[in-house]
Every structure is written in C-alpha cells, then in structure tokens.
Amino acid sequence: MRIGLIGTGRIGSFHADVLSRHPSVGSLMVTDPDSVRAGRTAARTGAAVVPTAEELLGAGLDAVVITSATAAHADLIARAARAGLPAFCEKPIALDLTGTLGALREVERAGSVLQLGFMRRFDAGYAAARAAVRGGALGRLHTVRATTSDPAPPPAAYLPLSGGLFRDCLVHDFDILRWVTGREVTEVYATGSDAGPAMFRETGDVDTAAALLTLDDGTLAAATATRCNGAGYDVRMELAGERDQIVVGLDDRTPLTSAEPQGAPAPAKPWPGFLERFAPAYEAELDAFLSVVRGELPNPCDGREALHALRVAEACELSRRERRPVRMAEIPEA
C-alpha cells in the first residue's frame, strides 16, 4: 500500500517509523510545513518527501495518516474524505463541537473511513479490563477511578492551542471509560486548579483537574489529571465491583511509592512519557487501521467516538467555569 503521512512532529515521526517497517506498506510519503523536519523523518525511514498536503492527497495514495497540528485536523479530514481516502487522525478532530461536526459531515457525505487515534483502546491492560467488566468478572461495577498525570508541563506556546486540560488530556480517560464499561456519561461535576506554573493562569487553563462522572447505570467514576507529576508519567484506571476489583497501569514502572513499611519502593525506571508507556498500543492502532483499509477489519474507533468523548470534555469545562453539575443533555450532539 501507498501511505501518506501529514505532520512529522513527535507523534508523526513515531508513526512514520512504525509505518516504514510495516509489511503492508510498500511506500511511504510524508509532508510537513517544516521541510527540514520532514526531511529528517524521510531520511530515517526511507520515505519520500512531498512539498504540500495538497500534493500528497493527490499522489495516488491508498490511505493517509494525519498527525499535523491540531488546528489543521478538521480541514485535512474533510479534504481526505473528498479525495476518497481512508484516514487515520490523531485526536482530536477539532477543539470544538462545530469543527468536529463539520468534519464528520464531510466523512459521512463521502462515505469514507475515519479512524481516530485513541490508542488506549489498543493497550493490553485496558483490553483485559474491558473483557473483565463485560464478562461479569467484577460483578456489578460501582466505582471507577482514572488518572492521567504528565511528568512536566508542556511548552507555554502549546497551551493556547491545546484546548485545555479536559479536551487535551482527560479526553483520553473519557473515551476509555466509555469503551471499557460500555456505558454512557449522563452528568458531570468538574473543577480545576491553576495553582502551579503561571502560564496556566495566563492562558485561562488549569494544571490539575478532577471530574466526577455519573454513568447511565449509576456507576460513579472519578477522573483526575495533572501536568505536574514529578515522579513520572502515570496513567491508571481502577475498576471496583461487588465481586472484585482490578487496576490498569500498575507495573514495575508505575511512578508510585508505597508509604507502608513493607510496601513497594519507588520504581527504578518510571515511565517518562506517553510514547514510551503506550508504544505497543500506538503500533497496534496503526496495524488495525491498515487492516481496515484492506477491508479485513471493521473500524475500531470511528469519528463519532471522538465526538462522544469531546462532549464529555465540553461538559466538564462548562461545569468548571460555572461551578455546577452539567447534564450531558445540555451538550449538543449534532
């Protein structure tokens, strides 16, 4: 297959490496507004550099992978759809509901494929948790606790482009909560703190946030996130039922130290970031996308899934601003 990749930043460069060694990819073409960065990726992977996204989309591809800056996602998704190209896009489709719905309409109008990059769906731990919940191993699920903690804040220039902590970071937790439990969020109550670095206050964002989510079967979920977890990159999900409880993301690299005298010590090599923690999941999602393109697999994460997660993030942001519970019925679906 001839695959095109738009955007050769950190995640784009990683995806280029994966695609370049995949047995189904006969040729890889890359483009980026930063031609030097695109050239480095091409030199390392054996890909061909194309000057612009427009030229790439018209180069006779079988599919395109979109890893550009977030602001360009919706337009590139629409252009790929109009070109009849199956597309994989890193989350989000857009940072607002209007942009997201517009891109989804283009995909639906064209009848094309759009797979979103919620990589946790391809992580072995989350897949095992889903099987345990759906198979009844935990009994009635009553409590879920999810956390995403970055080891250090992103560059200040990234914050105004990120959409905020709920849309940029916790949206992964909102998606995986739905995927693991099979339930929908009905109400949220969220808050945040900007007590950390001043750049968060200056951009109207928060460096730490928490949300209490009520699911449609009465299960309660607490989701927390922070940009300031100096111990390392920590992503976990605890699921407690009447019969048993399990945890995703607890291993010898989880940046946790027990305070108990006989408890586990600090990990010798804590997870430093998301690429290291989820590398196998990133590879698996691209492998799945190529199988979708070949017609061998149904789409495991279409664009509507991104819309559902974004709506929860929007509800949380509204709750934080207005300091009140928000029903999901208040957030538009179409």
Side-chain angles (χ1 to χ4, degrees):
M1 285 191 288
R2 287 168 60 84
I3 305 297
L5 182 139
I6 303 174
T8 55
R10 181 167 52 162
I11 189 62
S13 179
F14 181 92
H15 284 334
D17 288 338
V18 173
L19 291 166
S20 69
R21 60 177 183 265
H22 196 283
S24 294
V25 179
S27 63
L28 178 64
M29 306 171 74
V30 302
T31 189
D32 193 296
D34 185 333
S35 60
V36 173
R37 188 166 67 179
R40 286 198 299 265
T41 298
R44 190 182 66 254
T45 62
V49 177
V50 179
T52 67
E54 183 178 5
E55 291 176 70
L56 183 76
L57 292 171
L61 301 173
D62 293 299
V64 63
V65 173
I66 300 169
T67 54
S68 62
T70 295
H73 285 185
D75 178 62
L76 290 170
I77 288 169
R79 289 162 66 183
R82 291 193 291 268
L85 286 174
F88 173 94
C89 184
E90 278 298 328
K91 68 85 188 166
I93 293 174
L95 291 178
D96 59 21
L97 290 170
T98 300
T100 298
L101 289 166
L104 289 177
R105 280 193 292 269
E106 292 277 4
V107 171
E108 291 166 1
R109 187 177 298 121
S112 59
V113 170
L114 172 62
Q115 180 181 327
L116 260 292
F118 282 109
M119 76 291 186
R120 295 187 195 181
R121 294 180 176 221
F122 299 87
D123 177 76
Y126 284 107
R130 185 177 196 259
V133 171
R134 304 294 186 93
L138 307 185
R140 182 185 68 84
L141 188 67
H142 52 73
T143 308
V144 181
R145 292 175 288 272
T147 188
T148 295
S149 300
D150 289 334
Y158 174 74
L159 292 182
L161 310 175
S162 72
L165 194 58
F166 290 105
R167 299 185 189 94
D168 179 54
C169 185
L170 274 165
V171 72
H172 279 289
D173 296 277
F174 302 150
D175 175 71
I176 205 64
L177 175 65
R178 296 180 60 252
W179 188 76
V180 167
T181 66
R183 314 306 308 191
E184 297 295 343
V185 177
T186 59
E187 185 177 83
V188 310
Y189 188 79
T191 188
S193 169
D194 61 4
M199 62 182 181
F200 291 97
R201 292 185 292 280
E202 292 164 359
T203 55
D205 197 2
V206 294
D207 59 80
T208 303
L212 178 62
L213 315 170
T214 302
L215 306 190
D216 57 15
D217 64 347
T219 300
L220 297 181
T224 64
T226 185
R227 301 287 197 186
C228 305
N229 195 59
Y233 182 70
D234 185 14
V235 170
R236 283 174 287 118
M237 173 181 268
E238 301 170 16
L239 300 114
E242 291 182 334
R243 186 178 303 159
D244 200 1
Q245 62 178 347
I246 56 176
V247 59
V248 179
L250 182 62
D251 59 24
D252 62 1
R253 299 191 68 181
T254 304
L256 280 176
T257 303
S258 174
E260 301 298 332
Q262 304 303 318
K269 191 179 180 183
W271 293 111
F274 65 91
L275 281 179
E276 296 82 3
R277 166 67 177 84
F278 288 109
Y282 279 117
E283 295 199 28
E285 70 177 358
L286 282 182
D287 182 66
F289 174 62
L290 296 175
S291 294
V292 171
V293 174
R294 293 194 302 266
E296 300 169 356
L297 189 72
N299 192 340
C301 187
D302 69 23
R304 288 284 163 183
E305 299 298 290
L307 174 61
H308 292 314
L310 176 61
R311 289 182 66 245
V312 178
E314 290 285 335
C316 287
E317 189 59 50
L318 179 61
S319 175
R320 180 184 76 87
R321 290 198 312 269
E322 298 189 357
R323 296 180 177 271
R324 66 174 178 89
V326 172
R327 300 282 300 176
M328 287 305 302
E330 298 180 51
I331 309 300
E333 292 187 68

